[in-house]
Short mmCIF file of all heavy atoms in Angstrom, two decimals:
data_model
loop_
_atom_site.label_atom_id
_atom_site.label_comp_id
_atom_site.label_asym_id
_atom_site.label_seq_id
_atom_site.Cartn_x
_atom_site.Cartn_y
_atom_site.Cartn_z
N GLY A 1000 -19.75 18.19 -43.54
CA GLY A 1000 -18.55 18.25 -42.71
C GLY A 1000 -18.11 16.88 -42.24
O GLY A 1000 -16.90 16.58 -42.20
N ALA A 1001 -19.08 16.01 -41.91
CA ALA A 1001 -18.74 14.66 -41.47
C ALA A 1001 -18.09 13.88 -42.60
O ALA A 1001 -17.13 13.12 -42.39
CB ALA A 1001 -19.99 13.94 -40.97
N ALA A 1002 -18.60 14.05 -43.82
CA ALA A 1002 -18.01 13.37 -44.97
C ALA A 1002 -16.56 13.81 -45.19
O ALA A 1002 -15.68 12.99 -45.49
CB ALA A 1002 -18.84 13.64 -46.23
N GLN A 1003 -16.31 15.08 -45.03
CA GLN A 1003 -14.94 15.58 -45.17
C GLN A 1003 -14.02 14.99 -44.10
O GLN A 1003 -12.86 14.65 -44.37
CB GLN A 1003 -14.94 17.10 -45.09
CG GLN A 1003 -15.63 17.77 -46.27
CD GLN A 1003 -15.80 19.27 -46.07
OE1 GLN A 1003 -15.63 19.80 -44.97
NE2 GLN A 1003 -16.14 19.97 -47.14
N SER A 1004 -14.55 14.84 -42.88
CA SER A 1004 -13.76 14.24 -41.80
C SER A 1004 -13.44 12.79 -42.09
O SER A 1004 -12.30 12.33 -41.86
CB SER A 1004 -14.54 14.36 -40.49
OG SER A 1004 -13.88 13.70 -39.43
N ILE A 1005 -14.41 12.04 -42.61
CA ILE A 1005 -14.20 10.63 -42.96
C ILE A 1005 -13.14 10.51 -44.06
O ILE A 1005 -12.25 9.66 -44.01
CB ILE A 1005 -15.52 9.98 -43.38
CG1 ILE A 1005 -16.47 9.90 -42.17
CG2 ILE A 1005 -15.29 8.59 -43.96
CD1 ILE A 1005 -17.90 9.53 -42.53
N ALA A 1006 -13.24 11.39 -45.05
CA ALA A 1006 -12.26 11.37 -46.15
C ALA A 1006 -10.85 11.65 -45.62
O ALA A 1006 -9.88 10.99 -46.02
CB ALA A 1006 -12.65 12.38 -47.22
N SER A 1007 -10.73 12.60 -44.73
CA SER A 1007 -9.41 12.95 -44.16
C SER A 1007 -8.82 11.78 -43.39
O SER A 1007 -7.60 11.57 -43.40
CB SER A 1007 -9.54 14.17 -43.25
OG SER A 1007 -9.94 15.30 -43.99
N ALA A 1008 -9.68 11.00 -42.73
CA ALA A 1008 -9.20 9.87 -41.94
C ALA A 1008 -8.60 8.76 -42.80
O ALA A 1008 -7.89 7.89 -42.29
CB ALA A 1008 -10.34 9.31 -41.09
N MET A 1009 -8.85 8.80 -44.10
CA MET A 1009 -8.32 7.78 -45.02
C MET A 1009 -6.88 8.09 -45.46
O MET A 1009 -6.24 7.26 -46.12
CB MET A 1009 -9.20 7.68 -46.27
CG MET A 1009 -10.60 7.11 -46.03
SD MET A 1009 -10.56 5.41 -45.43
CE MET A 1009 -10.83 5.71 -43.68
N ALA A 1010 -6.38 9.26 -45.12
CA ALA A 1010 -5.06 9.68 -45.60
C ALA A 1010 -3.94 8.68 -45.31
O ALA A 1010 -3.14 8.35 -46.21
CB ALA A 1010 -4.72 11.06 -45.04
N PRO A 1011 -3.81 8.15 -44.07
CA PRO A 1011 -2.72 7.19 -43.81
C PRO A 1011 -2.77 5.95 -44.70
O PRO A 1011 -1.73 5.49 -45.19
CB PRO A 1011 -2.92 6.84 -42.33
CG PRO A 1011 -3.64 8.00 -41.75
CD PRO A 1011 -4.56 8.47 -42.84
N LEU A 1012 -3.97 5.42 -44.91
CA LEU A 1012 -4.10 4.22 -45.74
C LEU A 1012 -3.74 4.52 -47.19
O LEU A 1012 -3.06 3.74 -47.85
CB LEU A 1012 -5.53 3.68 -45.66
CG LEU A 1012 -5.81 2.39 -46.43
CD1 LEU A 1012 -5.01 1.22 -45.84
CD2 LEU A 1012 -7.31 2.06 -46.42
N LEU A 1013 -4.14 5.68 -47.67
CA LEU A 1013 -3.84 6.06 -49.05
C LEU A 1013 -2.35 6.32 -49.24
O LEU A 1013 -1.79 6.03 -50.31
CB LEU A 1013 -4.64 7.31 -49.43
CG LEU A 1013 -6.16 7.12 -49.49
CD1 LEU A 1013 -6.84 8.48 -49.63
CD2 LEU A 1013 -6.54 6.22 -50.64
N GLU A 1014 -1.70 6.86 -48.22
CA GLU A 1014 -0.26 7.08 -48.32
C GLU A 1014 0.50 5.77 -48.39
O GLU A 1014 1.52 5.65 -49.07
CB GLU A 1014 0.21 7.90 -47.11
CG GLU A 1014 -0.25 9.35 -47.13
CD GLU A 1014 0.13 10.09 -45.87
OE1 GLU A 1014 0.81 9.47 -45.01
OE2 GLU A 1014 -0.25 11.27 -45.73
N GLU A 1015 -0.02 4.77 -47.71
CA GLU A 1015 0.64 3.46 -47.69
C GLU A 1015 0.35 2.65 -48.95
O GLU A 1015 1.18 1.86 -49.40
CB GLU A 1015 0.16 2.68 -46.46
CG GLU A 1015 0.87 1.33 -46.28
CD GLU A 1015 0.43 0.62 -45.02
OE1 GLU A 1015 -0.35 1.21 -44.23
OE2 GLU A 1015 0.87 -0.53 -44.81
N HIS A 1016 -0.84 2.87 -49.54
CA HIS A 1016 -1.25 2.09 -50.72
C HIS A 1016 -1.75 3.04 -51.80
O HIS A 1016 -2.93 3.40 -51.85
CB HIS A 1016 -2.36 1.09 -50.35
CG HIS A 1016 -1.97 0.12 -49.28
ND1 HIS A 1016 -1.11 -0.95 -49.54
CD2 HIS A 1016 -2.30 0.05 -47.97
CE1 HIS A 1016 -0.95 -1.64 -48.43
NE2 HIS A 1016 -1.65 -1.07 -47.46
N SER A 1017 -0.84 3.44 -52.67
CA SER A 1017 -1.17 4.43 -53.71
C SER A 1017 -2.15 3.89 -54.75
O SER A 1017 -2.75 4.66 -55.51
CB SER A 1017 0.10 4.90 -54.41
OG SER A 1017 0.77 3.79 -55.02
N GLU A 1018 -2.32 2.56 -54.79
CA GLU A 1018 -3.23 1.99 -55.77
C GLU A 1018 -4.70 2.14 -55.36
O GLU A 1018 -5.61 1.91 -56.18
CB GLU A 1018 -2.91 0.50 -56.01
CG GLU A 1018 -3.05 -0.39 -54.79
CD GLU A 1018 -1.78 -0.50 -53.96
OE1 GLU A 1018 -1.09 0.51 -53.80
OE2 GLU A 1018 -1.48 -1.61 -53.49
N LEU A 1019 -4.94 2.52 -54.12
CA LEU A 1019 -6.31 2.79 -53.69
C LEU A 1019 -6.75 4.17 -54.19
O LEU A 1019 -5.93 5.08 -54.34
CB LEU A 1019 -6.41 2.75 -52.16
CG LEU A 1019 -6.09 1.40 -51.50
CD1 LEU A 1019 -6.14 1.54 -49.99
CD2 LEU A 1019 -7.07 0.33 -51.98
N ILE A 1020 -8.05 4.31 -54.43
CA ILE A 1020 -8.59 5.58 -54.92
C ILE A 1020 -9.69 6.05 -53.98
O ILE A 1020 -10.67 5.32 -53.75
CB ILE A 1020 -9.14 5.42 -56.36
CG1 ILE A 1020 -8.02 5.03 -57.32
CG2 ILE A 1020 -9.80 6.72 -56.82
CD1 ILE A 1020 -8.50 4.72 -58.71
N LEU A 1021 -9.52 7.24 -53.46
CA LEU A 1021 -10.54 7.84 -52.60
C LEU A 1021 -11.38 8.79 -53.45
O LEU A 1021 -10.84 9.63 -54.17
CB LEU A 1021 -9.91 8.59 -51.44
CG LEU A 1021 -10.90 9.11 -50.40
CD1 LEU A 1021 -11.47 7.95 -49.60
CD2 LEU A 1021 -10.22 10.11 -49.46
N GLU A 1022 -12.69 8.66 -53.33
CA GLU A 1022 -13.61 9.52 -54.06
C GLU A 1022 -14.47 10.29 -53.05
O GLU A 1022 -15.55 9.85 -52.66
CB GLU A 1022 -14.50 8.68 -54.99
CG GLU A 1022 -15.40 9.50 -55.89
CD GLU A 1022 -16.33 8.63 -56.72
OE1 GLU A 1022 -16.34 7.39 -56.53
OE2 GLU A 1022 -17.06 9.20 -57.54
N PRO A 1023 -13.97 11.45 -52.59
CA PRO A 1023 -14.77 12.26 -51.67
C PRO A 1023 -15.92 12.93 -52.42
O PRO A 1023 -15.75 13.39 -53.55
CB PRO A 1023 -13.77 13.28 -51.14
CG PRO A 1023 -12.71 13.36 -52.16
CD PRO A 1023 -12.67 12.05 -52.89
N LYS A 1024 -17.09 12.95 -51.78
CA LYS A 1024 -18.26 13.54 -52.40
C LYS A 1024 -18.87 14.54 -51.43
O LYS A 1024 -18.50 14.61 -50.26
CB LYS A 1024 -19.29 12.46 -52.75
CG LYS A 1024 -18.73 11.31 -53.59
CD LYS A 1024 -19.76 10.21 -53.77
CE LYS A 1024 -19.15 9.01 -54.46
NZ LYS A 1024 -20.14 7.92 -54.66
N ASP A 1025 -19.81 15.30 -51.92
CA ASP A 1025 -20.52 16.25 -51.07
C ASP A 1025 -21.58 15.49 -50.29
O ASP A 1025 -22.74 15.41 -50.67
CB ASP A 1025 -21.16 17.33 -51.94
CG ASP A 1025 -21.76 18.45 -51.10
OD1 ASP A 1025 -21.44 18.52 -49.90
OD2 ASP A 1025 -22.57 19.22 -51.64
N GLY A 1026 -21.15 14.88 -49.17
CA GLY A 1026 -22.09 14.12 -48.36
C GLY A 1026 -21.83 12.64 -48.30
O GLY A 1026 -22.57 11.90 -47.65
N ALA A 1027 -20.79 12.16 -48.96
CA ALA A 1027 -20.45 10.74 -48.93
C ALA A 1027 -18.98 10.57 -49.28
O ALA A 1027 -18.33 11.50 -49.76
CB ALA A 1027 -21.33 9.95 -49.91
N VAL A 1028 -18.46 9.36 -49.03
CA VAL A 1028 -17.05 9.05 -49.32
C VAL A 1028 -16.98 7.63 -49.85
O VAL A 1028 -17.51 6.71 -49.23
CB VAL A 1028 -16.16 9.17 -48.06
CG1 VAL A 1028 -14.71 8.85 -48.41
CG2 VAL A 1028 -16.27 10.55 -47.44
N ALA A 1029 -16.32 7.45 -50.99
CA ALA A 1029 -16.15 6.12 -51.57
C ALA A 1029 -14.67 5.77 -51.63
O ALA A 1029 -13.85 6.58 -52.08
CB ALA A 1029 -16.75 6.06 -52.97
N LEU A 1030 -14.33 4.57 -51.18
CA LEU A 1030 -12.96 4.07 -51.22
C LEU A 1030 -12.91 2.90 -52.19
O LEU A 1030 -13.49 1.84 -51.93
CB LEU A 1030 -12.49 3.65 -49.84
CG LEU A 1030 -11.06 3.13 -49.72
CD1 LEU A 1030 -10.05 4.18 -50.16
CD2 LEU A 1030 -10.76 2.68 -48.29
N HIS A 1031 -12.23 3.10 -53.32
CA HIS A 1031 -12.17 2.08 -54.38
C HIS A 1031 -10.89 1.25 -54.25
O HIS A 1031 -9.80 1.80 -54.11
CB HIS A 1031 -12.17 2.76 -55.76
CG HIS A 1031 -13.40 3.57 -56.05
ND1 HIS A 1031 -14.46 3.06 -56.75
CD2 HIS A 1031 -13.72 4.85 -55.74
CE1 HIS A 1031 -15.40 3.99 -56.86
NE2 HIS A 1031 -14.98 5.09 -56.26
N TYR A 1032 -11.06 -0.07 -54.32
CA TYR A 1032 -9.89 -0.95 -54.26
C TYR A 1032 -9.84 -1.90 -55.46
O TYR A 1032 -9.26 -2.98 -55.40
CB TYR A 1032 -9.90 -1.75 -52.94
CG TYR A 1032 -11.15 -2.55 -52.66
CD1 TYR A 1032 -11.28 -3.87 -53.09
CD2 TYR A 1032 -12.22 -1.97 -51.98
CE1 TYR A 1032 -12.43 -4.60 -52.83
CE2 TYR A 1032 -13.37 -2.70 -51.72
CZ TYR A 1032 -13.47 -4.01 -52.14
OH TYR A 1032 -14.61 -4.73 -51.89
N ARG A 1033 -10.40 -1.47 -56.59
CA ARG A 1033 -10.43 -2.30 -57.80
C ARG A 1033 -9.02 -2.69 -58.25
O ARG A 1033 -8.81 -3.78 -58.77
CB ARG A 1033 -11.17 -1.56 -58.91
CG ARG A 1033 -11.27 -2.34 -60.23
CD ARG A 1033 -12.24 -1.67 -61.19
NE ARG A 1033 -13.59 -1.65 -60.63
CZ ARG A 1033 -14.43 -2.67 -60.71
NH1 ARG A 1033 -14.07 -3.79 -61.32
NH2 ARG A 1033 -15.64 -2.58 -60.18
N GLN A 1034 -8.06 -1.80 -58.05
CA GLN A 1034 -6.69 -2.08 -58.48
C GLN A 1034 -5.89 -2.83 -57.42
O GLN A 1034 -4.72 -3.17 -57.64
CB GLN A 1034 -5.99 -0.77 -58.84
CG GLN A 1034 -6.66 -0.03 -60.00
CD GLN A 1034 -5.92 1.24 -60.37
OE1 GLN A 1034 -4.71 1.21 -60.61
NE2 GLN A 1034 -6.62 2.35 -60.42
N ALA A 1035 -6.52 -3.10 -56.28
CA ALA A 1035 -5.85 -3.86 -55.21
C ALA A 1035 -6.91 -4.64 -54.43
O ALA A 1035 -7.16 -4.35 -53.25
CB ALA A 1035 -5.08 -2.91 -54.30
N PRO A 1036 -7.54 -5.63 -55.04
CA PRO A 1036 -8.63 -6.37 -54.38
C PRO A 1036 -8.20 -7.07 -53.10
O PRO A 1036 -9.03 -7.32 -52.23
CB PRO A 1036 -9.07 -7.37 -55.45
CG PRO A 1036 -7.95 -7.46 -56.43
CD PRO A 1036 -7.30 -6.11 -56.42
N GLU A 1037 -6.90 -7.34 -52.95
CA GLU A 1037 -6.41 -7.99 -51.74
C GLU A 1037 -6.50 -7.07 -50.52
O GLU A 1037 -6.36 -7.52 -49.38
CB GLU A 1037 -4.96 -8.45 -51.94
CG GLU A 1037 -3.91 -7.35 -52.00
CD GLU A 1037 -3.81 -6.68 -53.35
OE1 GLU A 1037 -4.61 -7.03 -54.26
OE2 GLU A 1037 -2.92 -5.81 -53.51
N LEU A 1038 -6.75 -5.79 -50.75
CA LEU A 1038 -6.84 -4.82 -49.65
C LEU A 1038 -8.28 -4.59 -49.17
O LEU A 1038 -8.53 -3.66 -48.41
CB LEU A 1038 -6.22 -3.49 -50.08
CG LEU A 1038 -4.71 -3.50 -50.37
CD1 LEU A 1038 -4.26 -2.12 -50.84
CD2 LEU A 1038 -3.93 -3.92 -49.12
N GLU A 1039 -9.19 -5.43 -49.61
CA GLU A 1039 -10.60 -5.23 -49.24
C GLU A 1039 -10.78 -5.14 -47.72
O GLU A 1039 -11.45 -4.23 -47.21
CB GLU A 1039 -11.45 -6.37 -49.79
CG GLU A 1039 -12.92 -6.27 -49.39
CD GLU A 1039 -13.75 -7.41 -49.93
OE1 GLU A 1039 -13.17 -8.35 -50.54
OE2 GLU A 1039 -14.98 -7.38 -49.75
N GLU A 1040 -10.18 -6.08 -46.98
CA GLU A 1040 -10.35 -6.10 -45.53
C GLU A 1040 -9.74 -4.86 -44.89
O GLU A 1040 -10.32 -4.26 -43.96
CB GLU A 1040 -9.72 -7.36 -44.95
CG GLU A 1040 -9.94 -7.54 -43.45
CD GLU A 1040 -11.39 -7.79 -43.08
OE1 GLU A 1040 -12.18 -8.18 -43.97
OE2 GLU A 1040 -11.74 -7.58 -41.91
#
């Protein structure tokens, strides 16, 4: 449930930057910025 909450919290950033990729998992969340390395921070 906590992982799902963390994934949901990423929605505003993903809406602003479509080049980011969110990978929600069963128990973890990965945010990939390979296509936008300038967005690391």
Side-chain angles (χ1 to χ4, degrees):
Q1003 293 172 346
S1004 175
I1005 293 168
S1007 297
M1009 292 297 100
L1012 183 65
L1013 294 170
E1014 290 175 3
E1015 185 177 355
H1016 301 285
S1017 60
E1018 62 270 40
L1019 297 176
I1020 298 174
L1021 187 71
E1022 186 184 4
K1024 307 174 187 181
D1025 187 15
V1028 180
L1030 181 60
H1031 299 264
Y1032 55 91
R1033 181 169 297 277
Q1034 298 182 53
E1037 71 279 3
L1038 295 178
E1039 177 181 6
E1040 185 67 19

